């Protein structure tokens, strides 16, 4: 089956980030003084377990970044035509989750719809009952068989996942040497994750593990598709924030004088404007531009993706003030240190002082602030989508799921599983990012490292 590769703007930014990350890793590996803090991170069991969880989220996001359009069937020998629907490699891998849609709501592991409907029995009588699902549990003849079938499939899938975990454990220990504490924590986490994933994969083939939404889509599929949106908002936005905050904050703290006054005035004025109103105004202006130029996009996915990238840019341009203020304060303190004054007395250029002495000593602030901002941006997307200025409504994200669940929580009977799924995935993503950020901060903070050395 032929297909056409599709490169959205967000895809290009992700590939650029990957290239920068690989280049940075190669550079750090060749310099021992840069590699040493990361070795400290590798000795932290909590950090490595958090990195393992984050790696799973990143894997899903990367698979969902490889987009393509399938070729439509041809009746003659004309030019090949491609489907307007843009799919990803992830969509292909989880095809049943995407295509097995029900009529409307259904609970996790349910065999019937969530609400009663009028039905006609074999004798032609009209009665009110719960209709059977088309795909969820369709292989079962009766609901009484569900408990045993779920347990059986979970044990089989979990057992296969455990075998995969043990195999990876064996191969890793033959090729990689790790410290004992880190080794034990990562090994246990790997076995637990592979067992859990194996059980979920086995159950998801025949059940809706997290139920279905209003239009019958699998909530597990929606939750997994939301990961890419959250990662893009968190990473692309922080990369817009970093150059502004780093350049302006360090310049204000080091040069002082009129430079400091100008930068302080800039971020004070920007901070005084309510962020939600500023973001809403920028998003609405961007939305008007997109609506008046529909010819810019050949697919609906390209239009939704452009709104996502524009949202990241807007968030980045309006959220750099906090980090800038922190870097200014830290640079003011570092500027008065003896080794900085000695470098100035010896005639060392300001550029060299900034790159050799200031930057390494504020790196821990940058790292922890960026990762904490990543977590805050993932959560902020839900708030912005709630007020209607987030991602495009056609794009799957945690925010759109929570916005849809707002009305579902108020109906009777209450539909709780969509909100619970979005909350659970966001909690794991944000918690893993914060725990890893704490370990990175401790490893890069020169004051903590000096204390450990003195002890």
């Amino acid at each position: 089956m032929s297909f056409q590769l599709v490169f959205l703007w967000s895809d290009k930014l992700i590939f650029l980030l990957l290239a920068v990350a690989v280049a940075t890793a190669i550079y750090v590996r060749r310099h021992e003084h840069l590699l040493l803090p990361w070795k400290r991170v590798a000795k932290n069991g909590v950090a490595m377990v958090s990195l393992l969880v984050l790696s799973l989220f990143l894997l899903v996001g990367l698979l969902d970044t490889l987009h393509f359009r399938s070729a439509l069937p041809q009746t003659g020998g004309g030019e090949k035509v491609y489907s307007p629907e843009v799919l990803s490699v992830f969509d292909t891998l989880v095809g049943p989750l995407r295509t097995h849609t029900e009529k409307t709501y259904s609970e996790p592991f349910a065999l019937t719809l969530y609400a009663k409907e009028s039905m006609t029995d074999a004798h032609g009588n009209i009665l009110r009952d719960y209709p059977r699902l088309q795909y969820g549990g369709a292989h079962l003849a009766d609901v009484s068989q569900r408990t045993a079938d779920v347990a059986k499939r979970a044990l089989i899938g979990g057992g296969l996942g455990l075998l995969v975990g043990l195999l990876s454990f064996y191969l890793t220990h033959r090729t990689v040497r790790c410290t004992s504490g880190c080794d034990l924590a990562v090994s246990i986490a790997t076995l637990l994750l592979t067992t859990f994933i194996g059980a979920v994969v086995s159950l998801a083939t025949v059940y809706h593990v997290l139920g279905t939404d209003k239009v019958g889509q699998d909530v597990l599929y929606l939750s997994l598709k939301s990961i890419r949106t959250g990662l893009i908002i968190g990473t692309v936005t922080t990369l817009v924030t970093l150059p502004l905050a780093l350049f302006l904050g360090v310049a204000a703290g080091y040069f002082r004088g009129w430079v400091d006054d100008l930068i302080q005035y800039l971020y004070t004025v920007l901070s005084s404007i309510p962020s939600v109103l500023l973001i809403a105004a920028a998003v609405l202006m961007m939305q008007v531009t997109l609506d008046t130029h529909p010819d810019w996009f050949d697919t609906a996915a390209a239009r939704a993706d452009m709104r996502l990238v524009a949202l990241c840019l807007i968030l980045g341009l309006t959220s750099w003030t906090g980090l800038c203020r922190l870097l200014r304060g830290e640079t003011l303190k570092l500027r008065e240190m003896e080794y900085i004054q000695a470098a100035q007395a010896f005639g060392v250029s300001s550029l060299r002082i900034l790159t050799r002495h200031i930057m390494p000593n504020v790196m821990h602030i940058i790292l922890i602030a960026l990762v904490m901002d990543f977590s805050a941006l993932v959560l902020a997307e839900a708030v912005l989508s709630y007020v209607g200025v987030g991602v495009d409504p056609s794009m799957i994200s945690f925010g759109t799921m929570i916005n849809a669940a707002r009305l579902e929580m108020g109906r009777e009977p209450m539909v709780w599983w969509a909100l619970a799924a979005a909350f659970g995935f966001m909690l794991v993503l944000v918690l893993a990012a914060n725990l890893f950020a704490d370990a990175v901060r401790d490893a890069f903070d020169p004051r903590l490292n000096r204390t450990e050395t003195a002890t």
Side-chain angles (χ1 to χ4, degrees):
M1 180 174 138
S2 59
F3 58 89
Q4 180 188 49
L5 291 177
V6 176
F7 295 99
L8 303 175
W9 276 104
S10 60
D11 299 339
K12 298 174 183 177
L13 291 174
I14 291 177
F15 295 146
L16 177 61
L17 288 175
L18 284 177
V20 172
V22 171
T24 304
I26 294 175
Y27 180 80
V28 170
R29 189 177 180 85
R30 294 177 178 176
H31 296 78
E32 185 62 28
H33 69 285
L34 298 177
L35 186 61
L36 183 60
W38 292 108
K39 289 182 177 180
R40 297 193 192 104
V41 176
K43 295 178 182 179
N44 190 321
V46 175
M48 298 311 293
V49 172
S50 301
L51 181 60
L52 178 64
V53 175
L54 288 174
S55 299
L56 294 177
F57 281 93
L58 289 174
L59 177 61
V60 174
L62 290 177
L63 291 175
D64 203 17
T65 298
L66 303 174
H67 292 102
F68 65 91
R69 295 166 61 186
S70 302
L72 296 176
Q74 290 182 283
T75 56
E79 183 181 356
K80 187 174 294 185
V81 180
Y82 296 94
S83 170
E85 183 180 17
V86 178
L87 301 176
S88 67
V89 174
F90 177 77
D91 292 326
T92 304
L93 294 176
V94 296
L97 290 180
R98 182 178 64 88
T99 57
H100 289 180
T101 58
E102 306 294 347
K103 185 177 181 180
T104 185
Y105 298 113
S106 66
E107 286 186 295
F109 296 103
L111 304 185
T112 61
L113 294 178
Y114 193 52
K116 289 184 178 182
E117 293 184 357
S118 299
M119 304 170 57
T120 304
D121 60 12
H123 303 287
N125 300 320
I126 298 178
L127 50 87
R128 297 279 295 176
D129 201 356
Y130 298 98
R132 282 292 299 265
L133 297 179
Q134 183 178 0
Y135 299 103
H139 63 291
L140 299 179
D142 189 77
V143 69
S144 61
Q145 304 173 349
R146 180 179 58 186
T147 303
D149 185 68
V150 169
K152 176 183 175 182
R153 291 180 179 274
L155 287 174
I156 295 175
L160 293 176
L162 181 61
L163 290 178
V164 173
L166 291 173
L167 179 61
S168 64
F169 176 82
Y170 172 75
L171 295 176
T172 302
H173 277 67
R174 291 196 59 181
T175 56
V176 179
R177 298 185 64 182
C178 185
T179 58
S180 58
C182 167
D183 185 52
L184 180 61
V186 174
S187 300
I188 294 175
T190 302
L191 294 178
L192 292 176
L193 285 174
T194 54
T195 302
F196 176 75
I197 293 173
V200 171
V201 170
S202 177
L203 291 170
T205 57
V206 292
Y207 293 101
H208 298 293
V209 177
L210 296 179
T212 57
D213 65 356
K214 185 177 182 179
V215 296
Q217 286 186 296
D218 193 287
V219 174
L220 176 60
Y221 171 74
L222 298 178
S223 302
L224 293 173
K225 287 285 289 185
S226 301
I227 291 175
R228 177 182 180 272
T229 307
L231 292 177
I232 289 177
I233 289 178
T235 54
V236 175
T237 304
T238 51
L239 288 181
V240 175
T241 302
L242 178 58
L244 287 172
L246 180 60
F247 175 76
L248 296 177
V250 172
Y254 183 79
F255 294 106
R256 298 189 295 188
W258 67 270
V259 176
D260 188 19
D261 294 338
L262 179 62
I263 295 174
Q264 282 193 78
Y265 178 79
L266 179 62
Y267 69 63
T268 301
V269 171
L270 191 59
S271 299
S272 65
I273 304 174
S275 57
V276 175
L277 296 180
L278 184 61
I279 294 171
V283 169
L284 291 175
M285 288 189 295
M286 174 268 299
Q287 184 63 37
V288 171
T289 303
L290 296 181
D291 290 341
T292 54
H293 297 86
D295 54 304
W296 288 358
F297 315 102
D298 55 350
T299 62
R303 182 181 183 278
D305 183 77
M306 179 55 67
R307 176 167 173 169
L308 173 63
V309 173
L311 177 63
C312 293
L313 181 62
I314 293 169
L315 288 173
L317 293 175
T318 56
S319 60
W320 58 270
T321 55
L323 179 57
C324 180
R325 187 180 288 110
L326 288 175
L327 293 177
R328 174 187 173 272
E330 187 70 12
T331 305
L332 282 172
K333 183 178 66 176
L334 292 173
R335 192 182 188 279
E336 304 302 324
M337 300 296 290
E338 290 82 358
Y339 61 92
I340 299 292
Q341 294 181 354
Q344 291 173 340
F346 278 105
V348 180
S349 65
S350 297
L351 179 61
R352 187 167 182 82
I353 292 176
L354 290 174
T355 55
R356 296 284 294 180
H357 300 296
I358 301 295
M359 295 293 186
N361 286 283
V362 300
M363 189 59 64
H364 62 285
I365 296 178
I366 294 174
L367 288 172
I368 190 64
L370 288 182
V371 180
M372 293 300 291
D373 285 345
F374 168 83
S375 305
L377 288 167
V378 172
L379 299 175
E381 185 270 327
V383 177
L384 294 175
S385 295
Y386 178 80
V387 299
V389 292
V391 299
D392 193 86
S394 64
M395 176 170 286
I396 303 173
S397 71
F398 294 123
T400 54
M401 290 181 64
I402 294 174
N403 188 37
R406 173 174 56 94
L407 300 176
E408 296 171 353
M409 295 292 290
R411 72 186 299 273
E412 182 61 35
M414 182 176 65
V415 178
W416 53 268
W417 48 88
L419 180 63
F423 173 79
F425 274 82
M426 290 177 64
L427 175 64
V428 174
L429 175 60
V430 172
L431 180 61
N434 288 344
L435 292 175
F436 185 71
D438 290 340
V440 172
R441 177 199 59 189
D442 295 341
F444 276 83
D445 192 339
R447 292 166 296 185
L448 294 177
N449 296 333
R450 285 196 298 265
T451 303
E452 293 175 359
T453 304
T455 304

